[in-house]
Amino acid sequence: MRIVVASDHGGFTLKESLLRWLVSSGHATRDLGTLDAEPCDYPDYALLAAAAVAQGEAERGIIIDGAGIGSAIVANKLPGVRAAMCNDLYAARNSRAHNDANVLTLGARVIGEGLAQEIVKTWLETTFELRHGPRIEKILKLEQKLFGSF
């Protein structure tokens, strides 16, 4: 699976760890930054990852900041992106099965490395349940109404 990964300084260490783990798990990844732990602004990196997913450059995106909240807010501004902040396995599973989330946001100051890997693994392995399709169609129609064809 093609996955883009991005973080701000608060998520940098966890991002680096998850990138290594994703590659060792056989995924094709692209690191969109940040490239160090120097202070930076999460909206810049969340936008890069969400845009890559929205434009079809990647199937999924993972964004890590301190809490996971800000990046989810930014990512969800883009048509075609369904970002979910998940700090537990239930939310990870639900975000995929019910919402067909294509972007995952994590809070590096909320969860540890081991749980983050379990969340990502669950999120990547959970398939969308087609019975929820009509709800996703409503989201897509709303985006088309608000943003036009994208």
Side-chain angles (χ1 to χ4, degrees):
M1 185 176 301
R2 293 174 301 135
I3 304 168
V4 292
V5 184
S7 74
D8 69 355
H9 60 283
F12 174 72
T13 300
L14 183 56
K15 175 188 67 109
E16 293 297 301
S17 171
L18 285 174
L19 276 167
R20 288 189 298 274
W21 178 78
L22 285 164
V23 169
S24 72
S25 298
H27 296 286
T29 63
R30 193 166 101 209
D31 183 352
L32 298 178
T34 190
L35 302 178
D36 56 41
E38 291 298 314
C40 60
D41 297 329
Y42 67 84
D44 299 334
Y45 296 96
L47 178 61
L48 289 173
V53 173
Q55 295 167 1
E57 296 169 20
E59 297 164 82
R60 305 267 180 89
I62 300 172
I63 311 167
I64 307 132
D65 64 25
I69 299 166
S71 291
I73 292 169
V74 171
N76 279 315
K77 299 293 184 193
L78 278 74
V81 171
R82 289 175 304 283
M85 182 192 75
C86 300
N87 290 327
D88 59 59
L89 298 177
Y90 176 80
R93 194 174 302 107
N94 185 277
S95 75
R96 287 286 310 131
H98 291 228
N99 308 114
D100 200 19
N102 52 12
V103 172
L104 170 68
T105 69
L106 300 169
R109 295 180 181 140
V110 179
I111 59 173
E113 184 177 325
L115 180 55
Q117 286 181 5
E118 288 295 318
I119 289 169
V120 170
K121 182 178 189 298
T122 298
W123 188 74
L124 292 173
E125 291 177 354
T126 301
T127 57
F128 176 59
E129 296 174 3
L130 293 177
R131 66 188 174 100
H132 297 288
R135 294 174 186 138
I136 302 306
E137 285 299 318
K138 286 184 177 186
I139 294 170
L140 295 174
K141 286 180 182 176
L142 177 62
E143 287 177 341
Q144 289 172 348
K145 181 178 178 181
L146 295 173
F147 303 108
S149 181
F150 53 88

